[in-house]
Amino acid sequence: MAFPSETFGLSLPEYPWEALAPYRAKAAQHPDGVVDLSIGTPVDPTPAFIQDALAAAADAHGYPTVHGTPALREAVVDWFARRRNVSGLNPDAVLPTVGSKEMVAWLPFFLGLKPGDVVVRPSVAYPTYDIGAQLVGATPIAADDLDELDAATRAKVRLVWLNSPGNPTGEVRSAERLKKVVDQARAQGAVVASDECYAELGWDAWDAQRGGEAVPSVLDERVSGGDVSGLLAVYSLSKQSNLAGYRASFAAGDPVLIANQVNARKHAGMIVPAPVQAALRIALGDDAHVQAQKDLYRGRRERLLPALRHFGLDIQHSEAGLYLWSTAGEDTWTTVDRLAERGIVCGPGVFYGRRGEGFVRIALTATDERVDAAVERLLA
């Protein structure tokens, strides 16, 4: 009798990006090659001084600390004060994580959520919020405000995910809007976790380097009221510092929640490698490379925007982050196919929930040469 292998493993949805394969194949037939504007993976080099910090810490013969070195946690606290308008953060309330996606996927488990609990995530959102809920048998609900829920559902809410700036929409929630959700969640006794990894990439009104307002954090006193209990901010250097391959991220906020996370991760062996902790600390102390990278993305954004509009796309939200949330007022896959005919691959909006129907996500994460090629094709 054959071994019943199919009875083992997790029953999760197929990874959605596989559905894009035929459109990638069509785009690859373009005589000038494909322009991939679908996935937000950095294409520019990791700054040399960060690579040097990684190499200098390469003699990592002992086990690293799960909680992160005191120097790293102090660097995170200093960064929050300097860049995010969050002062007085406790260094003990900081935890390095193996990328922010790991935190999104496993936070419901480490919070002890169970079947019957509800996890609320944004109405248009990265699929991993749902996967994290499904891993523990909890129920994921798409909503941007707890007032959208009926009383019975609202009473079961144990975790609320915020994502500002949002992926894929690029929408930024003001401090007032963030505070409303925090107040709602606290009234229900629910944790609020805020995925903020695009916070340094605000544009126009949210471009702090050009006279705009800095993107607010859930830990900002205007949001928290000076009390971070029940709150977690999740951040990644993948975008701002081109460290996606390092898996260099952290969470900060409620000291009690962080302490429990540290203890659980010690048991599970979920540890950020020591050289990565060292590189993360050095990267957080330097603002110049962040600005230089943002300027690169700004240039790509400013070239793509008019070209996409010429092609017939309406750009909605997109006030921060690495994406242009676009619609032609037609079925998502029709737009995906029309772009593929010009050798351009985009992200289908339907991957991000029902309210993503009719949209596509255009990433700024391509080289200048490939962006210029896309612009030429869109304007043709």
Side-chain angles (χ1 to χ4, degrees):
M1 184 178 70
F3 185 80
S5 302
E6 67 279 359
T7 64
F8 294 87
L10 298 173
S11 180
L12 295 174
E14 288 296 320
Y15 196 61
W17 289 92
E18 303 303 326
L20 201 53
Y23 302 95
R24 288 189 183 279
K26 175 180 280 193
Q29 296 174 11
H30 192 280
D32 188 35
V34 66
V35 178
D36 192 344
L37 304 179
S38 64
I39 298 178
T41 187
V43 297
D44 301 305
T46 299
F49 78 96
I50 302 177
Q51 295 185 50
D52 291 344
L54 184 80
D59 183 15
H61 48 272
Y63 288 110
T65 170
V66 170
H67 199 180
T69 64
L72 169 56
R73 287 185 275 119
E74 289 285 357
V76 172
V77 168
D78 291 345
W79 176 83
F80 265 110
R82 189 176 74 251
R83 304 293 291 185
R84 305 302 312 281
N85 193 37
V86 177
S87 58
L89 193 62
N90 185 344
D92 288 341
V94 174
L95 168 69
T97 64
V98 189
S100 58
K101 184 174 183 177
E102 168 255 296
M103 187 67 167
V104 172
W106 290 106
L107 183 60
F109 174 77
F110 283 119
L111 289 177
L113 271 59
K114 58 189 182 301
D117 292 334
V118 168
V119 175
V120 175
R121 53 84 166 170
S123 59
V124 183
Y126 186 53
T128 309
Y129 302 115
D130 284 353
I131 296 299
Q134 292 168 22
L135 285 171
V136 296
T139 302
I141 298 287
D144 296 315
D145 189 306
L146 296 195
D147 287 343
E148 298 175 26
L149 309 180
D150 61 65
T153 301
R154 187 164 175 164
K156 298 176 183 176
V157 175
R158 296 280 288 158
L159 172 62
V160 179
W161 274 108
L162 295 171
N163 181 209
S164 176
N167 174 15
T169 64
E171 181 179 6
V172 176
R173 296 198 190 203
S174 66
E176 292 75 18
R177 290 181 64 200
L178 292 173
K179 183 179 185 302
K180 180 182 179 183
V181 175
V182 167
D183 290 345
Q184 291 173 332
R186 282 176 165 169
Q188 299 298 137
V191 170
V192 177
S194 182
D195 183 352
E196 302 177 354
C197 69
Y198 297 95
E200 290 277 19
L201 294 167
W203 313 113
D204 302 325
W206 298 105
D207 192 342
Q209 292 75 37
R210 295 197 171 187
E213 180 183 347
V215 173
S217 169
V218 75
L219 303 182
D220 189 310
E221 188 171 347
R222 295 172 296 168
V223 179
S224 70
D227 175 12
V228 297
S229 60
L231 306 181
L232 293 172
V234 179
Y235 197 77
S236 167
L237 269 68
S238 294
K239 316 301 182 185
Q240 72 167 48
S241 303
N242 296 328
L243 291 185
Y246 285 48
R247 314 311 299 132
S249 305
F250 54 85
D254 185 329
V256 176
L257 291 177
I258 292 293
N260 185 271
Q261 294 271 313
V262 170
N263 182 59
R265 286 163 181 265
K266 286 178 180 178
H267 287 290
M270 298 176 75
I271 313 173
V272 176
V276 174
Q277 291 192 34
L280 175 56
R281 176 180 64 82
I282 293 298
L284 284 169
D286 180 83
D287 298 334
H289 80 282
V290 179
Q291 185 61 50
Q293 185 60 47
K294 182 175 181 177
D295 288 341
L296 279 176
Y297 285 132
R298 181 186 283 108
R300 293 163 187 167
R301 183 177 185 270
E302 291 175 350
R303 298 201 297 280
L304 277 169
L305 271 170
L308 291 167
R309 289 174 175 143
H310 179 84
F311 184 69
L313 296 180
D314 175 35
I315 314 301
Q316 299 187 10
H317 291 302
S318 308
E319 56 260 33
L322 293 179
Y323 311 109
L324 297 171
W325 188 234
S326 312
T327 181
E330 61 192 8
D331 176 77
T332 287
W333 294 105
T334 300
T335 307
V336 171
D337 188 64
R338 291 199 298 117
L339 287 167
E341 288 176 351
R342 299 198 180 197
I344 299 170
V345 183
C346 64
V350 293
F351 288 178
Y352 303 95
R354 181 178 56 81
R355 295 190 191 178
E357 172 57 49
F359 286 83
V360 294
R361 191 190 76 170
I362 307 294
L364 307 179
T365 49
T367 64
D368 287 333
E369 184 273 332
R370 287 290 84 188
V371 166
D372 290 340
V375 169
E376 182 178 351
R377 297 173 194 184
L378 292 166
L379 295 176

